[in-house]
Amino acid sequence: MQSWHGLGDVPEDWGRSVVTIGVFDGVHLGHQRMVTQTVGMARELGLPAVVVTFDPHPDEVVRPGTHPLRLTTLHRQAELLAALGVDAVCVLPFTLEFSRMSPDEFVQTALVDRLHAAGVVVGENFRFGHKASGDVETLRTLGEKYDFVAVGVPLVSDGGTISSTFIRERLTAGDVASAAAALGRPHRVEGVVVRGHQRGRALGFPTANVESPPFTAIPAEGVYAGWLQCVEASSEPAGQRWPAAISIGTNPTFDGVERTVEAYALDRDDLDLYGVHVAVDFAERLRDTLRFDSVEALIEQMHRDVARAREVTA
């Protein structure tokens, strides 16, 4: 899959294509429906399928300080889109100047002049252009002007509209199971393993302390079952995935103040992952974060957590 940062990266000889537009954070079931329809139309026409997305998140530019927590990194987003059959992703730098484009300017500059769109697929609630003045009907009208077909795809609903906002709310509540159902896969937190206080190792449960990028959507404090995976191709255990017990919190038993994401690969005390880029996938919340009266009581609970995590990930 080709990846372009800005319209200037689009090859000069790029021909016609079918395009879908959106933030696509999470690539959840609603996004998947839209991308699948885009790829289907592209295959029917014998054209490449292109995803146009934005960085940073438009909300951060239009309303500074409101950057939504990210459900996926840009790299992970690209992986998921490629798996759906997308041929190219164009990440447009979202600036204040860009946000002031009229709907016609955006369509002509991005979709017509550079991507030569034959078809454009968006969600039925799609808004674009200065002050969100354009909608699907606007896009259809511009399609008649610039010779492309515009399609508005109905939103996915499962007792409520599936959206990135809904998934963030579920994660904030610690409901990783509902988040996974809306995503179509477990929620993932990525980051580099850094040295912590190494208390887990001293207790017999060595953990990978994962330092994630800013604005990462991290579930509520608590203990979870899931998986730990090495996603750094150059490292020794690349691609390996282990069932894990995951703790998010400040380690109140030890009067901790810094919130951490720590994952213990079940029955593995031989892993050296310092400095390695890893992913933590969340399957189920096991319990709240608790303060224990003694280290012994904590260890007993950790054994119970590990046993439960083994059942969940079996």
Side-chain angles (χ1 to χ4, degrees):
M1 184 182 74
Q2 298 189 54
S3 182
W4 309 317
H5 190 76
L7 294 171
D9 275 359
V10 180
E12 289 291 337
D13 60 350
W14 187 256
R16 303 213 76 180
S17 58
V18 178
V19 182
T20 185
I21 314 163
V23 177
F24 294 104
D25 185 24
V27 193
H28 55 61
L29 292 180
H31 296 147
Q32 291 171 38
R33 172 189 282 182
M34 200 158 63
V35 172
T36 298
Q37 190 155 335
T38 304
V39 171
M41 182 188 295
R43 298 297 178 263
E44 287 178 9
L45 297 174
L47 299 175
V50 180
V51 167
V52 171
T53 187
F54 309 97
D55 186 54
H57 195 290
D59 283 359
E60 176 62 19
V61 175
V62 178
R63 293 180 290 278
T66 63
H67 198 303
L69 297 177
R70 288 200 67 99
L71 300 173
T72 50
T73 63
L74 284 175
H75 178 75
R76 174 65 170 162
Q77 183 186 61
E79 284 182 340
L80 294 167
L81 292 171
L84 292 171
V86 171
D87 298 294
V89 172
C90 184
V91 181
L92 299 183
F94 199 91
T95 63
L96 201 55
E97 181 182 5
F98 184 89
S99 74
R100 290 172 177 156
M101 276 188 176
S102 70
D104 195 305
E105 284 179 296
F106 170 75
V107 166
Q108 186 173 3
T109 301
L111 304 183
V112 178
D113 292 348
R114 298 301 296 173
L115 297 174
H116 309 295
V120 179
V121 179
V122 294
E124 64 181 6
N125 64 341
F126 179 66
R127 308 288 301 197
F128 69 110
H130 187 46
K131 295 186 177 179
S133 56
D135 58 13
V136 177
E137 197 52 47
T138 309
L139 195 62
R140 289 195 179 104
T141 301
L142 291 170
E144 293 173 3
K145 177 180 178 180
Y146 292 112
D147 189 29
F148 64 80
V149 175
V151 178
V153 179
L155 304 180
V156 173
S157 179
D158 182 16
T161 300
I162 290 177
S163 67
S164 297
T165 299
F166 167 78
I167 295 167
R168 291 186 195 101
E169 289 171 351
R170 291 297 80 217
L171 293 173
T172 299
D175 185 2
V176 295
S178 291
L183 286 165
R185 64 183 185 281
H187 175 61
R188 170 172 290 191
V189 169
E190 293 187 39
V192 175
V193 178
V194 298
R195 292 190 181 275
H197 296 288
Q198 297 188 312
R199 294 194 184 101
R201 183 171 296 279
L203 298 174
F205 301 92
T207 60
N209 190 337
V210 182
E211 187 175 77
S212 54
F215 304 119
T216 295
I218 296 174
E221 292 190 7
V223 176
Y224 299 83
W227 297 269
L228 173 66
Q229 179 175 345
C230 176
V231 294
E232 187 172 309
S234 61
S235 65
E236 185 69 26
Q240 291 191 36
R241 188 172 188 247
W242 307 278
I246 306 153
S247 173
I248 299 176
T250 58
N251 293 306
T253 300
F254 297 97
D255 298 319
V257 294
E258 184 180 351
R259 191 166 181 254
T260 60
V261 177
E262 300 179 69
Y264 165 61
L266 304 188
D267 307 317
R268 297 298 300 264
D269 59 6
D270 58 336
L271 298 176
D272 182 6
L273 298 176
Y274 291 122
V276 174
H277 188 166
V278 300
V280 178
D281 291 334
F282 293 83
E284 183 178 309
R285 181 180 172 90
L286 302 181
R287 62 173 175 86
D288 292 339
T289 298
L290 303 172
R291 181 185 180 94
F292 294 89
D293 294 331
S294 67
V295 172
E296 291 74 22
L298 170 61
I299 292 174
E300 286 181 17
Q301 181 59 55
M302 291 172 75
H303 279 290
R304 289 192 288 271
D305 295 338
V306 166
R308 181 66 185 131
R310 185 174 287 110
E311 291 176 2
V312 170
T313 58

